[in-house]
Each structure stands twice: as structure tokens, then as C-alpha cells.
Amino acid sequence: PAEALQSGHGGMDYFPVAAFVDSVLNDTPSAMDIYTAVETAAPAIIASQSIEKGSVCLDVPDFRPNARRKAGQMPAGKKGK
């Protein structure tokens, strides 16, 4: 759509936002749950932090609940603000 061409990254920024808005307006499940969203965003954030630290290797946390961490808890060693 024409709106996509006006968004960033060659139109690709339009689609996840449009899908989210559509799910809210139509009360349907979103294609991207919170874990998929954070797994998509976190590597970019960690990459930026790595560059700031001289391109050191940094781990991307596993945000999904597991045997040691229940849903809603921050990954080990991370402090929420």
C-alpha cells in the first residue's frame, strides 16, 4: 500500500505496525507475541551495546520462561528499571 512506501526501511516498518493495529481493531490474536517481539528487537539493541563496547561479544538473553525463570521475571543478571 501507499502508506508502506512512506514508512521506513523501504516500507518494511509498515507491516508489523499495521498487523498489530489490525489485531487490536478486530480483537484477533497478533501474529507476533511478546516473546517473538523481544527476540526480534533484542539482537539489535545488544548489537548497539556491543559496538559501544568496542565490538565485544555479548549474549542475547533468553526471555522465554523456563525451569529457572517464570514468566515476567527478568533474565538472570539483568536489572529491570
Side-chain angles (χ1 to χ4, degrees), residues 1-18:
E3 297 88 10
L5 298 175
Q6 296 172 3
S7 70
H9 296 103
M12 292 309 297
D13 286 352
Y14 169 83
F15 295 100
V17 174

Side-chain angles (χ1 to χ4, degrees), residues 3-36:
E3 297 88 10
L5 298 175
Q6 296 172 3
S7 70
H9 296 103
M12 292 309 297
D13 286 352
Y14 169 83
F15 295 100
V17 174
F20 176 74
V21 170
D22 184 60
S23 71
V24 170
L25 293 176
N26 294 302
D27 195 24
T28 56
S30 174
M32 187 178 287
D33 67 8
I34 187 65
Y35 297 110
T36 304

Side-chain angles (χ1 to χ4, degrees), residues 23-77:
S23 71
V24 170
L25 293 176
N26 294 302
D27 195 24
T28 56
S30 174
M32 187 178 287
D33 67 8
I34 187 65
Y35 297 110
T36 304
V38 77
E39 288 164 351
T40 302
I45 295 166
I46 300 293
S48 174
Q49 292 172 339
S50 169
I51 291 167
E52 290 174 356
K53 295 178 180 189
S55 296
V56 299
C57 290
L58 297 174
D59 292 330
V60 176
D62 179 4
F63 292 93
R64 291 184 183 262
N66 57 47
R68 295 183 310 228
R69 191 178 60 75
K70 58 186 176 181
Q73 282 184 318
M74 291 292 287

